[in-house]
Amino acid sequence: MTLFSLKNKTAIVTGGASGIGEAISKKFAAQGAQVHILEFNAENGDRTVAEISAAGGKATFHSCDVSNTEQVAQIVATIAEKQYIDILVNNAGIAHVGNLEGTAVADMDRIYNVNIKGVYNCMHAVIGKMKEKGGVIVNMASIASSVGISDRFAYSMSKGAVMTMTLSVAKDYLDQGIRCNSISPARIHTPFVDGFIGKNYPGKEAEMFEKLSKTQPIGRMGKPEEVANLALYLCSDEASFITGTDFPIDGGYIKLNG
């Protein structure tokens, strides 16, 4: 028996062609899943599918804005016509830097539309089909759901909502065989982090990278593959007794910082 096998299962991964999402898509495909990548960036989507195919996996790219309710519903319906949807990973999300006063109404709307409404759209689109034989949903929250982080007002708000949506779905669909959990990463080294450092600290990239790395008690940023390993476990049959739980993957940040 192969542990954590996803053979003959179909998975949807939003934001599945960059950073954590890309690592999840590749990990799931390597474990035998048919992966459907819902991604806004077409170049990244095509590249990720090509890399998965070259490695012997199965993946399909769907150009998608998760904040668009009708577009999400149409894509999910198209997938469901041919395959049972066993797994949904809501990974797509955006960040915002700013405290309450530094958060404009437009910032709040943008964060809400992607990070909250986008998660709602995808869960709402799959849940009816998933009730037929059960399934697994994993939502990407953040340590910002649990602890105060400076200048992350809107982002923290959105990830707190993701965590509570996770609990509600886990409770409401327990009898239908649907498990729903969330993952709360700390700082993970992704292209987004490199871009953020380069934009805000030109000429000091190495210094800031080291400083940000040391905010994790373990002394480094996490790797996307480490988050993907956790997502794989939660979506596998080996985690069949786990639902309604948030899993920090944070290098000790929540419990050991300060």
Side-chain angles (χ1 to χ4, degrees):
M1 176 182 177
T2 302
L3 287 175
F4 316 123
S5 172
L6 299 182
K7 187 177 180 181
N8 299 323
K9 293 189 177 183
T10 297
I12 293 175
V13 182
T14 71
S18 179
I20 292 171
E22 178 181 351
I24 292 173
S25 296
K26 290 179 175 178
K27 179 69 66 174
F28 282 19
Q31 291 300 109
Q34 167 69 55
V35 180
H36 290 271
I37 297 172
L38 274 59
E39 171 66 44
F40 188 76
N41 186 304
E43 182 179 351
N44 285 346
D46 289 336
R47 175 188 54 77
T48 302
V49 167
E51 290 174 1
I52 288 173
S53 298
K58 299 177 181 178
T60 305
F61 162 58
H62 305 267
S63 179
C64 182
D65 174 1
V66 295
S67 70
N68 186 319
T69 305
E70 291 74 20
Q71 188 178 69
V72 170
Q74 183 178 24
I75 290 171
V76 169
T78 299
I79 296 170
E81 284 178 3
K82 299 179 180 179
Q83 299 166 312
Y84 186 80
I85 299 172
D86 302 280
I87 297 165
L88 167 65
V89 178
N90 277 308
N91 170 76
I94 57 175
H96 176 263
V97 178
N99 62 14
L100 173 61
E101 294 171 291
T103 304
V105 171
D107 299 324
M108 284 291 288
D109 289 344
R110 181 169 170 264
I111 287 287
Y112 169 82
N113 284 333
V114 177
N115 292 7
I116 299 177
K117 185 182 175 185
V119 172
Y120 161 81
N121 284 340
C122 295
M123 290 198 295
H124 191 266
V126 305
I127 202 74
K129 291 291 184 180
M130 218 176 247
K131 285 164 61 178
E132 296 174 9
K133 295 189 295 182
V136 186
I137 298 172
V138 169
N139 297 322
M140 203 60 63
S142 166
I143 59 167
S145 306
S146 305
V147 298
I149 298 178
S150 300
D151 291 326
R152 296 294 188 276
F153 175 77
Y155 180 77
S156 298
M157 172 276 301
S158 71
K159 292 304 184 177
V162 169
M163 187 182 292
T164 53
M165 284 193 288
T166 297
L167 297 175
S168 293
V169 169
K171 182 72 171 180
D172 289 339
Y173 295 94
L174 191 64
D175 292 340
Q176 281 76 42
I178 297 172
R179 297 189 295 108
C180 189
N181 296 292
S182 59
I183 294 175
S184 285
R187 188 166 278 113
I188 307 297
H189 185 198
T190 64
F192 173 83
V193 170
D194 291 334
F196 173 82
I197 294 174
K199 178 181 178 181
N200 292 280
Y201 305 98
K204 298 182 179 180
E205 288 87 351
E207 176 186 343
M208 287 307 302
F209 183 85
E210 183 178 2
K211 182 177 180 179
L212 292 174
S213 296
K214 289 181 177 178
T215 61
Q216 274 68 229
I218 206 168
R220 66 172 176 84
M221 295 188 196
K223 302 174 184 177
E225 293 75 19
E226 292 171 318
V227 184
N229 287 337
L230 177 54
L232 173 63
Y233 169 64
L234 292 174
C235 292
S236 71
D237 292 340
E238 281 73 18
S240 59
F241 198 56
I242 300 174
T243 193
T245 305
D246 179 67
F247 289 82
I249 180 165
D250 64 354
Y253 189 96
I254 292 177
K255 296 294 186 181
L256 304 181
N257 229 343

